[in-house]
């Protein structure tokens, strides 16, 4: 269960975007991604910018994940290294963030790499939820408290 401050519309939009990234990739190339939702102040403190933030300088009203144009932008920017940081209300704060969370408590299934480990760890160190897209399989996983809450496999990948 997600805390009440999380908008179900925002969570649904992010899972949908993640499934599209997993199925379509970027320009025919498989792409992985991390989207961290909620506890944005703590997440920003536990991460650092590693590429230019494409959302900097854009008004909050124009960078909400519920806007179809921003959803398309997120799919495009998924090819950048690093994570997306998104507030509970759907405002995208940043892309291209390196998550500096490290947790000994995280126990992941074999085969899941650094992206999934970082996503799980940030959800141990904050109250955020993280959504990952596996570059290898396109599988979408939702993490909370260091655990996989949801795992969605692709039925048909186009890459």
């Amino acid at each position: 269960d997600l805390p009440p401050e999380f908008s179900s519309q925002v969570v649904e939009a992010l899972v949908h975007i993640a499934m599209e990234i997993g199925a379509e990739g970027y320009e025919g190339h498989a792409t992985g991604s991390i989207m961290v939702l909620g506890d944005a102040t703590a997440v920003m403190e536990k991460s650092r910018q590693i590429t230019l933030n494409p959302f900097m300088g854009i008004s909050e009203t124009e960078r909400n994940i519920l806007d179809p144009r921003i959803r398309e932008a997120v799919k495009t920017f998924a090819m950048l290294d690093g994570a997306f940081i998104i507030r509970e209300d759907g405002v995208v704060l940043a892309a291209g963030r390196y998550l500096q969370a490290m947790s000994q408590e995280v126990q992941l299934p074999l085969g899941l790499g650094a992206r999934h480990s970082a996503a799980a760890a940030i959800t141990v160190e904050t109250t955020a939820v993280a959504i990952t897209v596996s570059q290898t399989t396109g599988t979408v996983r939702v993490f909370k408290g260091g655990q996989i809450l949801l795992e969605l496999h692709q039925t048909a990948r186009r890459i």
Side-chain angles (χ1 to χ4, degrees):
D1 280 345
L2 296 177
E5 66 267 17
F6 285 84
S7 157
S8 59
Q9 280 182 297
V10 169
V11 173
E12 190 176 310
L14 289 174
V15 169
H16 185 76
I17 292 165
M19 289 300 289
E20 289 181 350
I21 291 168
E24 300 165 12
Y26 179 72
E27 293 186 345
H29 299 283
T31 304
S33 189
I34 303 176
M35 293 176 262
V36 184
L37 176 63
D39 203 0
T41 302
V43 174
M44 291 295 277
E45 287 172 2
K46 293 180 180 293
S47 64
R48 64 182 166 81
Q49 201 66 40
I50 54 173
T51 62
L52 190 65
N53 178 7
F55 296 97
M56 185 174 274
I58 301 172
S59 76
E60 286 192 4
T61 56
E62 293 177 11
R63 55 186 160 108
N64 194 295
I65 205 70
L66 299 177
D67 180 334
R69 292 173 302 183
I70 294 302
R71 288 199 294 266
E72 284 304 310
V74 166
K75 286 167 48 180
T76 300
F77 294 132
M79 53 129 187
L80 296 174
D81 281 339
F84 291 93
I85 313 300
I86 303 153
R87 251 184 5 215
E88 291 91 343
D89 62 358
V91 173
V92 181
L93 300 179
R97 300 283 296 183
Y98 176 79
L99 301 176
Q100 296 176 298
M102 302 284 274
S103 177
Q104 304 303 320
E105 298 172 38
V106 173
Q107 302 271 315
L108 294 177
L110 286 174
L112 297 185
R115 175 177 290 121
H116 297 89
S117 182
I122 199 74
T123 69
V124 168
E125 294 190 15
T126 68
T127 60
V129 170
I131 300 167
T132 60
V133 179
S134 169
Q135 185 169 344
T136 310
T137 64
T139 300
V140 172
R141 292 178 180 86
V142 178
F143 291 87
K144 183 176 186 288
Q147 303 291 316
I148 298 171
L149 277 189
L150 180 65
E151 190 170 84
L152 301 168
H153 299 275
Q154 297 292 339
T155 52
R157 285 186 93 184
R158 287 170 269 197
I159 41 177

